[in-house]
Amino acid sequence: MKVGFVGLGIMGWPMAENLVQAGYDLTVHNRTQKKAEEFAKKTGAQLAHSPKEVAESSDVVITMLPGPPEVEEVFLGEGGLIEGADTGTLLIDMSTSSPMLARKIAEVVREQGASALDAPVSGGDVGAREGTLSIMVGGEEEDFERARPLFEAMGKTITHVGPSGAGQVVKAANQIVVALSIEAVSEALVLGSRGGVAPEKILDVLSGGLAGNRVMEVKREKFLSRSFEPGGKARYHRKDLRIALESGREYGVALPATALVEQFFGALEARGDGDLDHSALLRLIESLTGS
Amino acid sequence: MKVGFVGLGIMGWPMAENLVQAGYDLTVHNRTQKKAEEFAKKTGAQLAHSPKEVAESSDVVITMLPGPPEVEEVFLGEGGLIEGADTGTLLIDMSTSSPMLARKIAEVVREQGASALDAPVSGGDVGAREGTLSIMVGGEEEDFERARPLFEAMGKTITHVGPSGAGQVVKAANQIVVALSIEAVSEALVLGSRGGVAPEKILDVLSGGLAGNRVMEVKREKFLSRSFEPGGKARYHRKDLRIALESGREYGVALPATALVEQFFGALEARGDGDLDHSALLRLIESLTGS
């Protein structure tokens, strides 16, 4: 099986590397050509000069891009994947993107006799490197089965969640819960600290009961040291929440707490802290207190 | 050791029963006298006609009351515990109440040569019956050690979190995280369902990653069946969030997402759903969508 890969960023690079390691014959493309050249040199992958060229020389193409505008450009723009896809080509977008765009792409792709999956991931750059990503997949069952060996080279928990767009819907839902969990722990820690309780005690007690969540385990050291090297950057999480809010508008769903936290991520970004870990939301909540 | 117990409600009754079972000699009081008589009849406990009388005949008194107004009345009101407490009496409030009130009570109690602990619990009526409550304790270390055997008869995870008021601060922090977790799961489920994904799939995928939390495990069947028998009632949780918000005002801490969810619990109550489980917040978020 010839596999194409477009988008060799902090996530895409290690995912593509895991595919090479699993024995796949890769053709890669990246907007910054230099990076694709490095990747080709390091791994022996083939180089392509456009998404179209990648699609022409591949049975399956995977994309891992920053967000909806880039996904739309790479799939549907000039020299895009659509132009190079053949009957039987399977195009898999693993970016975090919009459910509506995923459905639109799937429609266009199917008109051409090709297939599409939306397959966003969670697990971050660590999960990408270690091949332990969670992958939530929307699209036809048979396309999912066809792609499964590729997913297994990149991830650990691989779930077919529904038709086209469903993968992106679940990713949006995931990002809502993560964002509100960070907000929750931040408000709890700020109240607790100002109330004279050591933050460690708060996390210890809360993690044992109904308040327990993965965010307070995984981000514990960041919350306690109050040093916020990323991890998942605040501005990326904000982008994901914007996708959730747009989806809400599309489906007629109000997401009031999500909207509030999107604004806080925006304020964090405006303060120049957008490149910190998303758990730096704690700092924003702290900034709302007296001193 | 002679132990007094004031407040034989849905939580207090089984907690007091566990103390009897552990061999303590109990004197009880309840606002509705009939209930105290029933308890005395069932367990052989002594009856007292006022909090003052309870304190007069006990070395340690435990209170389990609906909220701050009742706590203030039982401790500081006419015929209250303070009037009956002697040098060396230990007064332990296990209600969910205000940190500021806990500190005020501790001060008044100490002026009298007696001692006070604030020791709110989590784990609900199930935890109360099974003696598996989490108990978060504020006050002096030596008073905590003195009370420990009593706590061990009622709970499983027992933590001394700081000076007077600290137990209530941690409980407020706990209730913030639980409330925002319910809100998070609700927004995620409503978006996901309207986006065409089965709620089970959403919970399955989210629980495996950074979005995972105890609320989606413990309340899973309620979210899926959309039947919300309590459990922890929405209106009690709202009361707890009001305590958190008051504490925030006292400490100069803004709690914007907590404030939002307190309003939603209020709207749920206004719809006549205040006696449902707190996870019924899902219904309120659903009511904000198109159909």
Side-chain angles (χ1 to χ4, degrees), chain A residues 160 169 173-174 177-178 180 184 187-188 190 192 194-195 201 209-215 251-253 255-258 260 264 289-290, chain B residues 160 169 173-174 177-178 180 184 187-188 190 192 194-195 201 209-215 251-253 255-258 260 264 289-290:
Chain A
H160 183 216
V169 167
N174 188 77
V177 175
V178 173
L180 294 188
E187 292 195 9
V190 173
R194 296 299 167 114
K201 290 270 185 188
L210 189 54
N213 63 41
R214 283 284 288 158
V215 161
Y251 300 134
V253 172
L255 301 167
T258 303
L260 183 66
F264 290 154
T289 63
Chain B
H160 183 215
V169 167
N174 188 78
V177 175
V178 173
L180 294 187
E187 293 196 9
V190 173
R194 296 300 166 114
K201 290 270 185 188
L210 189 54
N213 64 42
R214 283 285 288 157
V215 162
Y251 300 134
V253 172
L255 301 167
T258 302
L260 182 68
F264 290 153
T289 63

Side-chain angles (χ1 to χ4, degrees), chain B residues 3-25:
Chain B
V3 178
F5 204 106
V6 180
L8 297 165
I10 192 168
M11 295 292 294
W13 182 294
M15 289 163 71
E17 249 180 346
N18 283 330
L19 290 169
V20 173
Q21 216 111 61
Y24 290 101
D25 182 11

Side-chain angles (χ1 to χ4, degrees), chain A residues 15 20 23 25 55 64 72 86 97 160-161 174 193 214 218 241 259 268 277 282:
Chain A
M15 289 163 70
V20 172
D25 181 12
M64 194 62 186
E72 187 153 25
D86 222 338
S97 177
H160 183 216
V161 292
N174 188 77
S193 310
R214 283 284 288 158
V218 173
L241 293 188
L268 199 63
D277 190 76
L282 176 68

